[in-house]
Amino acid sequence: MLYAGLGGIIAQVQTPPILLLSGAPGVGKTSVGWRVFDRCTDLALDPAFADLDLLGAAWPAPDDDPHQSRLKATNLAAVWSNYARAGSRRLIIAGVVENLREKQQLEEATGGHVVICRLDATDAELARRIHDRGREDGDSLDQLVRRASELSAQLAVDDISDYAVHTTGRTIDQVADEVLRRWQADPAAQSLEPSPTASQ
């Protein structure tokens, strides 16, 4: 399938199965994403992984796009085009998607249907994980804990996900296994067979 990604990038690829792990800070999007990537690699599904936070890590952000959703989509188009040329056939993305407009931006960037899995956890669990990872302190830490609680509630109320997976009290392996099982049950994720190189 020939498609034009954002920024005029052109790639000749089959419409890819795409999974996006969304959720509040501390819920485990990146950790679970890497584990799902490992599972897909073991199954010879030729995955690629992208982190939207890194693709939008630029300052200053425009007033009309404070979370850099346009920049993230533009960079994702370039990254996915390169991944596809290298042989990747499905894409796993970690990042927050708050509305249908942002989802559409990502679908335009990749040329595929984005299946959204919303990871959730209790406020107490989110706060514990944010404290434990040790990247923030002082006022920044308090602000992020509040943001995590608020965003978790917002994503549940304005839910645009295809399915949700609870993470409190579960290991990364347990969460990743459920995420992958439910993704594989989606017809869009079944469009590609395992790589023929897997049996060689």
Side-chain angles (χ1 to χ4, degrees), residues 161-177:
S161 67
D162 296 277
Y163 62 96
V165 173
H166 198 61
T167 69
T168 300
R170 306 177 71 188
T171 67
I172 293 175
D173 285 329
Q174 290 171 332
V175 173
D177 286 344

Side-chain angles (χ1 to χ4, degrees), residues 24 123 126 147-159:
D123 287 351
L126 293 175
R147 168 65 175 160
S149 175
E150 293 168 357
L151 183 58
S152 180
Q154 175 191 329
L155 293 174
V157 171
D158 302 326
D159 195 4

Side-chain angles (χ1 to χ4, degrees), residues 37-61:
F37 172 87
D38 290 340
R39 296 284 197 274
C40 289
T41 300
D42 292 342
L43 294 169
L45 297 177
D46 299 335
F49 181 74
D51 189 318
L52 291 183
D53 281 347
L54 297 180
L55 296 181
W59 191 259

Side-chain angles (χ1 to χ4, degrees), residues 97-108 113-116 160 162:
V97 174
E98 298 186 33
N99 52 61
L100 291 174
R101 177 183 56 80
E102 293 179 355
K103 178 182 178 182
Q104 182 180 8
Q105 288 175 333
L106 299 180
E107 290 181 333
E108 291 173 354
H113 170 66
V114 174
V115 173
I116 297 179
I160 62 169
D162 296 277

